Structure formats: C-alpha cells, structure tokens
Amino acid sequence: MEFKPKNREWVKNAAIAFLAVLLVLTFFSNTIMNRTLPEVATQYVESGPITAKVRGTGTVTANGNHQVKAEQTRDIRAVMVKVGQEVEAGDVLFVLGQGASEELEAAQEALRTLQVSYQKAAINIPTHDYTLLDRKIALATEALDAAKAAEDRAFAELGEDSSLLAGKITEAQANLEQAKKDYDALLAANQESEAAAQKRVDDAADRLNLIMQNEPKPSPSPENPSVDDTQTPETSPAVTASAEPMFPSHEEWEKEKNAANEELTAANLALNELKEHNALNLSEYQKRVDTCQAILDRLLVSAGPKKEAYDAAVLARKNAENDLFNAKYELEQQKVADQKNDQLASIDLSDIGYQIEQQKKKIKELSGGEDNEVTAKVSGTIQTVDCTSGDTKLKDDLLCTIEVPDMGYNLSFSVTNDQARRLKPGDTATVSNYYWGNSITATLSTIKVDPKNPQTNKLLTFELEGDVNAGSELTLSVGQKSANYDVVIPNSAIRNDTNGSFVLKIEAKNSPLGNRYIARRVSVEVLAADDVNSAVTGDLGYGDYVITTSNAPVKTGDQVRMADS
C-alpha cells in the first residue's frame, strides 16, 4: 500500500498568526486599558503667599426708608407717582376721595353721643346749700353766749373775795400738777438708774458663775493618783481634750474667782445704796405732793357748793366753745369738698367739649374736606407703591415707601465665627460683581451675632457709598494682608462631603507595563483662600500632585490616566 504524507502547513501558519496577535495584545494592552480610564488634570503642591478673603452676597437696603400711611380711612382717587420716581418734599403723592360711608356714619353717631353726654353733664353740675350748717353755727353761738352768762353769774355768787379765792384755787391746782409731774419724773429716773445698777450686779454674777464652771482639774500626783476617777464622760480627757482651758492654772482660777466675788459684792452694795438714796428722795417729793393736795383741799372746802357750781359753769362754757368751733369747721370742710367737685365737673365738661370738636373735624375729613391730598414729607425715590386708584385704605394702612438716599445704604451677610475673627470694623471690601456705573466703596461697620445661627455665625454689615440702589444684590470680598504657607493648592482641587474637606492625591505604582496612577483621598483643613488658591494642612508635601479636574467621576482607589499636558 502507498502512504502519502499529511499536509500540516496550515497548522504552522495558524500558530504563527496566533502568536503574533498575542504579542501585539501584550505590548498594547496598557495603552488600550488607559484609554478606558478617567482622564485627570493635576497640579503639584507648592508653597507661597495667600491673601485670605471673606466673601458674601447680600441685598442692598437703604438706611432710611420713609413710610407714607393713611391718616384716616379714605378712598384713593388718583395715584400721582410710580416706583423709581424722584420726589421732593411737598410733592403730591395721592389724591383722596370721600371716606368710607360706614366710618362716616359711625363718626356722626359718636358725635351725637358726645353732645348728649355734654348736655347731661351740664345739667348735673351740683349746686350747694349751706342753710343747715349756718343754722347749726347760729345755735352754737347762742349756746356759747348763754354759757358765758352762766359762768359770770356763778363767779359773782362766790362773794366779794371770789376773784382772790379763784386765783388761789387755780394756783393750788397748778402747784399740785407740777408736784405730781416732778414726782413721776424722779420715779422714772430712779427706775432707770436702779435698772443700770441691777445690770452690773447680773453681769458680775454671770462672770462669777462662768469662772466657777471652768475650775481647772488638779493634775494626777503620787499623793492623789485617783483624781481622774471622778471624771464624768462629759468632762473626761477623751471629750475635753480638744477644748482650750479658760485658766492655765488653779492659782490663776482662784485669783479670778476672788476678783469676781469682790466685783459682785461691790455691785450689790452700790445697788442697795442707790435704792436707799432714791427712796429717800422719792419720799421728799411725795411729801411735796401731799402738801399741795392738802392746800387745794382746804381752798375747795372754803369755796363750798358755790365753787362746784362755778366749775360746772366753766366746763359748760368750754363745751359750748368746742361745739361752735366744730360747726364752723364742718362748714369750711364742706365748702372745700364742694369746690373740688365743682372743679372736677368743669374738667369733665371741658373734656367732652374737646372730644366734640375733634369729632367734628373727623367728620369733616371723612366727608371729603379740604385735606384731600397726600404729599411727600421727605425728598427721595419712590421704592414701593402699595395702592391703586379706587382702593379704600384704612387708617394707618401703607400707601407707599420713599427711599431717602441722604441717609446712605448698607448690605449684610452671614459668615462663620472663624471668618469673622479675621476681620474688624473699618476694613474695606471690594465689589466683585458690579461692572457698571461709578465705583462702590464698601466699609465694614459692625460685626454682630447672627440671630439665625447665634452659635456658629456672625452677621457682617457694610456701609456702601457710590452708584448703588436699594434691592441690588452685590458680592463683597474683604480680607487680611498676604501670608506665606507651606502647602498651597488650587481651589479646584478641594472637594467636600459629609466627612469634611479633602483632595485626591496621585500615587504612582511601577508595573512591568509602566507606571500606574491611583487616586487617594487626603483629608485637609483650609487655613486661608483667595480667588485661585487655598492654603491647607493635611498629608500633603511639596511636589505632590492633586487632581483638579477629570472627565469622569473619580473616587479614592480608582486608577486614572494623566492628561497629556
């Protein structure tokens, strides 16, 4: 049999082709993979100066806005101004029509009520009649005259020596009263002096008692070894060891005890001597009182019943004088009270009359009186117009607002407490979003707690000068002088999430096919920033690369490819 060799040429060719394709894929796989990775732009970390800036946006408001309000309920017949219009003081803003009929009717009814009240008050003005009080005075006068006549008759009946006897009785009564007063004064003085002497006795007794209670205990000795056996728990060394003894020795105690005894004896002796002396003096004063009483009694006996009648007549005359005085006083007091009531009634009547006049003026205004125009009281720019022709505005309703430029403008925005600490009143800010008109000067005037975020924020207020209008939104930048920092990166490299600020740093890794670039998260804290760069702290050093932009989302751990530039 004849065998032919097999054709294996195609197998060789296929193997060569496979190996060639495999070789191409091996050498170009890194390039192919790179084309699928996110492309990132980077910038290396450097050092340099940063001018820290605090930025914020706010709405311009005028320092002075004048509100024009309705003085009473009126119809708006015509509006003579529009928003943005310049007005001068005295310019007509609105023309008014007749007031609301309901309010006019209410005002007319109120006037009628006031007029009725006035008439009632006029009728009720009090009148005064003092006939009874005058009659009471006349009767008291007659009674006094009769009492004086009775006193004269009783005095005449005492006899030829009546005047002399009456004088002696009066003198004896005065002597007796004076003797009693002197006795009472001496008695009070004696009691006061004896009380002072008694206090000295009591103080001396207290002193002696204190000394007796603090007698020092004799020290144990061979002759008296059982001295501590008599100690009680209250006076035992365990209890009184910490107390400072009053006397350092028994001899000192004996000395103080004897002195206290002598002082007490002397005080008692002085008290007894004082009492004897006071009693002797008091007995002399008592004898004087008794003598005066005896003299008066003898004179009264010599006067007899006629003197008693005379004394009764004198008493009746004094009572009549008191009754007349009381009647006159009652009349005077009544006149004073009536005069006050008259004045109060006059005040009430005048007040109602004033209310009537005011109500008449109100009715005249509501009826479309002479004051049918509202004029500007200040010069400025119309900021808002809050009504249209045909509206009915109630009293105190807002008609329009006039911006008063002479009082200036301001702008406010909130910043963090840390940002506020870099600033101070007087700092000048620049306007970054105003490209037309004259330049604007912004000066920081106040730094206050932000009422919306009092724990974390401050409210900055700037005074504005230049070509500015209320309602405009401006962005201001204000900051400190430049400072050098070790780590400075572009603002575009800084990212933020719930865990804080961070950057993506490029880490290079070598491989058989070339360098691979991995994005790694590095947390940072921003120390200062300007419009382009920020100074930060974190795990970054000079020459490190950070990602600024990418053509696709990048997160930590992702492999990226560097932009060709």
Side-chain angles (χ1 to χ4, degrees), residues 457-471:
N457 283 45
K458 293 288 192 298
L459 190 67
L460 306 183
T461 300
F462 296 83
E463 293 293 335
L464 305 178
E465 296 180 1
D467 189 6
V468 63
N469 295 313

Side-chain angles (χ1 to χ4, degrees), residues 492-533:
S492 57
I494 299 176
R495 309 171 184 223
N496 294 279
D497 60 13
T498 56
N499 294 322
S501 300
F502 67 95
V503 298
L504 292 175
K505 182 174 74 170
I506 295 297
E507 293 182 353
K509 292 186 177 181
N510 295 326
S511 70
L513 299 180
N515 287 337
R516 298 172 60 194
Y517 300 101
I518 308 298
R520 294 297 182 191
R521 177 188 175 117
V522 176
S523 297
V524 296
E525 179 183 356
V526 178
L527 301 178
D530 57 22
D531 294 334
V532 179
N533 297 321

